[in-house]
Amino acid sequence: MEEMPKEDLQKMQYKLLKSLVYRLYSFSPFYHERMKEEKVHPDDIRALADVKKLPFMFKRDLRDNYPDKIFTATQDDLVRYHVSSGTTGKPTVVGYTQNDLNLWTTSLARGLTSIGLGRGDVIQVSYGYGLFTGGLGMHYGAERIGATVLPTSVGNTERQIELMQDLGATAIACTPSYLLHIGEVAAKMGVDIKKDTKLRAGILGAEPWTDGMRTRIQDWLGIKAYDIYGTSELSGPMYTECTEQKGFHIWSDIALAEIIDPKTGEQLEPGEKGELTVTMLQKEALPMIRFRIGDITVIDDEQCPCGRTHPRIQRIQGRVDDMLIIRGINVFPSQVEYALMAIPEVGQHFQIIVERKGALDDMLVQVELNRESFSDKITDLMQTQQKVEHRMRNSLNVNVDVELVEPGSLPRFEGKSKKVIDKRSL
Ligand SMILES: [Zn+2]
């Protein structure tokens, strides 16, 4: 399946799409109405490219139909619920049939295999277990490939480090910010992850991070750091990078990915940057058609050197709703991270604070310094500050105030980190 010729994959996608659309049009009042509004009938889907005739779905469709009004399976057929807490208003609920769980697990099993994990590995799952999809999703994927799961979940970091050593964890799955936290706590305990543990891979996701951060994590902890992607509406974490570390393979038999212009909704070509939109081709309980995830990225349709023919999605560069507009210029927090990680004096943590003073937006970036670079000499600090401000201005095209802060002084997060404080919306 993973190395099937592209043309055959696309033929398979077309067949799956066609039967999905017929099923939803016939049996789901929600999708039936949506398609009627858009004046599209299942007979209009005559080629894979016709997917662009279908209406979009948004996260609000799940919220508006809380908890399960658009499910296409009855509760008898559901074997699990996951619930994601909305930042505003109602949470969203996702239901899974046994087949839905099997596909999710298969997808992750392929991903974990593609980074060289399998029987004999001990995978420490430090994503939250429970209503959040990260922990349980990774858990079943890791068991499927014959690895031994160490289900530590989030928190109690010192114990996590002891267990990592005692049970010989070879891989860890968590958010990149939590792995940084683990590295710092380990150092305080006198444990060098590089020398004192068997850890060789990190499967890091649930928040956007950059290649600069990857290099730092790899050099510091002596592991390979892989990106993983997914969102609860589509099942949970589902797609990982392969050993090439150049974007995650999105399995064509499971999902049809498109990149669209977030403003016009027009489909963009491979290589063009836009909003990731996904159709889940085989889901039973909550199929999603052209779901607008809100993540900004690029599809890479070139053949991957690993031999897998399924397209790759480049690392997420930001979210449509994360995009800050500072004095008319689009700024993504990932750009700030990218610029900062190229400066050796800078540590791993930063925070962006946006304020409106009068009619103008002001952006302040608080940056932790490395312990080695933190100096009492004002002149040294001023030099570093100028260097950081200069780098920011060059890469963001907007003036940014920089405040250098002591190592360890910015807030740490065990789950998703909060890098932006936008006081304009308060
Ligand atoms: Zn590959």
Side-chain angles (χ1 to χ4, degrees), residues 242 244 249 304 306 308 312:
C242 60
E244 295 298 317
H249 284 283
C304 182
C306 79
R308 291 174 181 82
R312 281 176 292 173

Side-chain angles (χ1 to χ4, degrees), residues 31 62 70-72 93-95 100 233 283-288:
Y31 291 98
L62 292 166
I70 58 171
F71 285 14
T72 49
V93 178
V94 179
D100 291 338
E233 296 85 358
K283 263 182 102 190
E284 292 178 339
L286 185 57
M288 303 294 282

Side-chain angles (χ1 to χ4, degrees), residues 112-388:
L112 295 174
T113 307
S114 78
I115 62 176
L117 296 172
R119 203 177 149 82
D121 278 297
V122 176
I123 303 181
Q124 182 163 347
V125 180
S126 307
Y127 283 118
Y129 276 68
L131 291 173
F132 173 60
T133 51
L136 284 166
M138 182 58 71
H139 185 104
Y140 283 89
E143 281 187 352
R144 176 73 62 88
I145 61 167
T148 313
V149 177
L150 178 56
T152 46
S153 195
V154 182
N156 205 342
T157 307
E158 294 188 1
R159 184 143 183 267
Q160 298 238 7
I161 295 160
E162 282 164 19
L163 290 172
M164 178 189 287
Q165 287 189 288
D166 295 347
L167 295 168
T170 53
I172 185 165
C174 60
T175 59
S177 46
Y178 190 53
L179 184 59
L180 292 173
H181 181 62
I182 288 179
E184 286 174 349
V185 174
K188 274 186 204 146
M189 292 163 68
V191 175
D192 182 348
I193 302 269
K194 214 183 229 179
K195 295 197 197 104
D196 306 330
T197 74
K198 289 188 181 158
L199 208 64
R200 62 183 174 89
I203 306 130
L204 311 178
E207 61 187 28
W209 54 301
T210 60
D211 270 336
M213 184 63 87
R214 176 181 350 243
T215 308
R216 287 188 167 218
I217 289 174
Q218 294 192 152
D219 291 349
W220 182 36
L221 302 178
I223 64 170
K224 288 272 180 196
Y226 299 97
D227 200 6
I228 178 167
Y229 183 73
T231 174
S232 61
E233 296 85 358
L234 306 179
S235 284
M238 281 192 105
Y239 309 105
T240 76
E241 290 182 318
C242 60
T243 44
E244 295 298 317
Q245 295 183 302
K246 287 228 170 84
F248 36 86
H249 284 283
I250 186 157
W251 310 115
S252 301
D253 54 320
I254 293 174
L256 172 58
E258 302 169 73
I259 298 291
I260 60 154
D261 180 325
K263 289 207 182 76
T264 64
E266 290 293 318
Q267 202 183 62
L268 300 176
E269 294 293 315
E272 288 186 299
K273 184 154 77 168
E275 182 181 355
L276 180 61
T277 300
V278 172
T279 299
M280 293 299 280
L281 294 167
Q282 298 196 49
K283 263 182 102 190
E284 292 178 339
L286 185 57
M288 303 294 282
I289 287 194
R290 304 196 84 198
F291 178 52
R292 306 261 305 245
I293 303 173
D295 287 331
I296 302 284
T297 184
V298 172
I299 290 188
D300 179 357
D301 214 14
E302 298 289 310
Q303 170 72 46
C304 182
C306 79
R308 291 174 181 82
T309 46
H310 299 240
R312 281 176 292 173
I313 307 291
Q314 283 181 10
R315 94 181 14 269
I316 303 302
Q317 301 177 11
R319 286 189 52 79
V320 173
D321 43 15
D322 262 2
M323 190 178 77
L324 295 163
I325 303 177
I326 308 290
R327 302 191 179 191
I329 294 184
N330 298 348
V331 174
F332 287 103
S334 57
Q335 288 177 291
V336 174
E337 181 179 304
Y338 183 81
L340 286 177
M341 290 304 121
I343 305 169
E345 292 89 344
V346 164
Q348 334 283 3
H349 296 267
F350 68 94
Q351 184 164 276
I352 300 168
I353 297 169
V354 187
E355 273 184 290
R356 178 156 294 169
K357 288 182 185 154
L360 289 176
D361 300 320
D362 271 323
M363 182 167 149
L364 169 72
V365 182
Q366 293 178 315
V367 180
E368 275 188 19
L369 288 175
N370 265 332
R371 211 156 278 286
E372 305 83 67
S373 314
F374 191 69
S375 155
D376 284 337
K377 277 200 220 127
I378 296 283
T379 45
D380 290 355
L381 287 177
M382 278 176 69
Q383 255 179 8
T384 311
Q385 169 144 1
Q386 279 169 1
K387 190 171 171 182
V388 176

